[in-house]
Amino acid sequence: MKTKLFLIITLGISIAACSDEATNYEAGTASTYEAPSPEAYSEEKKNYCADTDDKNSCSCQFDVMDPILTAAIGSDWSTKSMEEKDFPIYVKAVEKAVEQCP
């Protein structure tokens, strides 16, 4: 019985939280990303985004992923080959970037 009650409460909180996020997004209160001008990009970001058509989206993704990957892998994450042991960290970083970037 306690397990069912816990699941119902958790589900209710999740639905309420998702509903609030959707309302904020629809009301235009969701935060937006404002990309810096390409001249302000670091060399790492310039190299990372060199082959992309959408520089603003790439810039946002880099800005979200850089602190995560730098802390876990090192500041040279964008130039070195991904190792298998680092794959979960890259997945986490990409998921965060997808959540936050247009």
Side-chain angles (χ1 to χ4, degrees):
M1 183 67 185
K2 288 182 181 181
T3 304
K4 286 184 180 180
L5 181 60
F6 176 74
L7 290 173
I8 291 171
I9 291 171
T10 304
L11 181 60
I13 291 170
S14 297
I15 291 172
C18 290
S19 175
D20 186 44
E21 287 177 15
T23 302
N24 287 342
Y25 180 76
E26 290 169 2
T29 59
S31 63
T32 57
Y33 176 79
E34 295 198 23
S37 68
E39 294 82 30
Y41 289 3
S42 67
E43 283 302 313
E44 292 84 8
K45 188 188 295 190
K46 286 179 186 176
N47 292 335
Y48 185 80
C49 296
D51 297 332
T52 61
D53 292 332
D54 189 350
K55 300 290 189 215
N56 288 340
S57 179
C58 182
S59 174
C60 176
Q61 292 170 8
F62 186 91
D63 290 343
V64 171
M65 294 187 314
D66 186 50
I68 297 167
L69 296 174
T70 296
I73 298 169
S75 60
D76 62 343
W77 68 267
S78 65
T79 57
K80 72 181 210 177
S81 298
M82 179 175 58
E83 298 178 19
E84 187 174 336
K85 67 178 178 65
D86 296 329
F87 184 75
I89 297 164
Y90 278 92
V91 170
K92 176 185 171 189
V94 169
E95 287 174 344
K96 287 284 187 191
V98 168
E99 286 175 11
Q100 296 181 23
C101 298

